[in-house]
Amino acid sequence: SLGAGLTVLIAVALVEGNLARQVAERIPERAPAFFFIDIQPDQVAPFEAAIAELPGAELLQRLPTLRGRLAGIGGVAVAEAKIDPQAEWFTQGERGFTYLAKMPADTELTAGKWWPEDYAGPPLISLGARIAEGIGVGVGERLSFNVLGRRITAEIANLRTIDWSRMRLDFVVIFAPGTLEGAPQVHVASASALPAREEALYKSISQRFPNI
């Protein structure tokens, strides 16, 4: 019994040590202290100014976002498409989308190319590589989405690796400019702060913007 108990304790200590090491290695140097949601378009500028004026705080990311549902895969209704069980979550219910002109730093493309920053043309998307594999699509193929009652069909311009453990704001689907800008939307953001300034950052934002 003593031997078995000691073995369990050693195993727990080893697992804890390995997990702690993995977390320490994966968390970026400046991990977000807070994630902010429901930032209204007219609040973006004052929100960013509020963070900029607070010593020890830094805005890490700020992205527009709106929600939609996958409606079709290459002209086939989602209900009739063959979906890998690990990708089914993407096909069920609404998902968050964003749009970007410039490719985010440290983005790893596995196929295709990012669009030009001044792109103006038919709808294009960047899609997470694992989801693309799970729903059986690749660069050049088309997905249809229902966004606020409007059906949008977009071509897959590139596939990219998404590492959720990096604690970054990311989306499985990123649209190219020119498609979603006119739709009702909100913004999300992340910010870091020195440990001694985290409470001040929280109070500053929550008092000035009660909805965020």
Side-chain angles (χ1 to χ4, degrees):
S1 297
L2 289 174
L6 181 59
T7 300
V8 171
L9 288 175
I10 292 174
V12 169
L14 288 173
V15 170
E16 181 181 9
N18 287 334
L19 287 174
R21 185 173 64 255
Q22 287 188 35
V23 170
E25 290 176 352
R26 287 178 174 269
I27 290 181
E29 281 189 35
R30 294 211 73 175
F34 297 100
F35 291 95
F36 301 95
I37 63 173
D38 201 28
I39 306 168
Q40 300 301 308
D42 62 349
Q43 293 178 317
V44 169
F47 169 81
E48 292 185 347
I51 293 180
E53 68 188 26
L54 187 68
E58 178 185 355
L59 179 67
L60 299 178
Q61 288 179 279
R62 194 268 306 158
L63 297 171
T65 181
L66 59 163
R67 301 187 70 79
R69 178 191 299 267
L70 181 65
I73 303 173
V76 178
V78 173
E80 301 173 4
K82 184 178 180 181
I83 308 294
D84 186 283
Q86 293 187 349
E88 285 183 348
W89 65 269
F90 177 69
T91 68
Q92 299 171 351
E94 292 188 332
R95 300 295 157 203
F97 305 145
T98 191
Y99 55 90
L100 291 170
K102 185 177 180 180
M103 184 170 70
D106 302 324
T107 297
E108 179 184 347
L109 298 184
T110 61
K113 296 181 179 180
W114 195 266
W115 43 80
E117 291 187 36
D118 59 352
Y119 177 79
L124 295 178
I125 60 169
S126 174
L127 185 67
R130 288 188 178 179
I131 288 298
E133 181 181 358
I135 63 177
V137 296
V139 171
E141 298 186 69
R142 296 176 179 273
L143 298 180
S144 296
F145 303 93
N146 185 317
V147 181
L148 301 175
R150 176 187 172 190
R151 191 178 183 91
I152 298 173
T153 298
E155 180 180 328
I156 301 172
N158 61 73
L159 305 178
R160 69 188 195 285
T161 300
I162 301 177
D163 184 357
W164 300 109
S165 68
R166 294 169 63 188
M167 301 180 70
R168 294 183 47 160
L169 293 171
D170 210 338
F171 294 80
V172 174
V173 176
I174 299 176
F175 276 80
T179 301
L180 301 181
E181 286 86 339
Q185 57 198 267
V186 295
H187 292 247
V188 293
S190 63
S192 66
L194 298 175
R197 304 299 294 168
E198 288 182 359
E199 184 175 356
L201 173 59
Y202 175 79
K203 287 184 177 180
S204 174
I205 297 301
S206 62
Q207 290 175 2
R208 295 178 63 174
F209 310 100
N211 63 294
I212 297 177

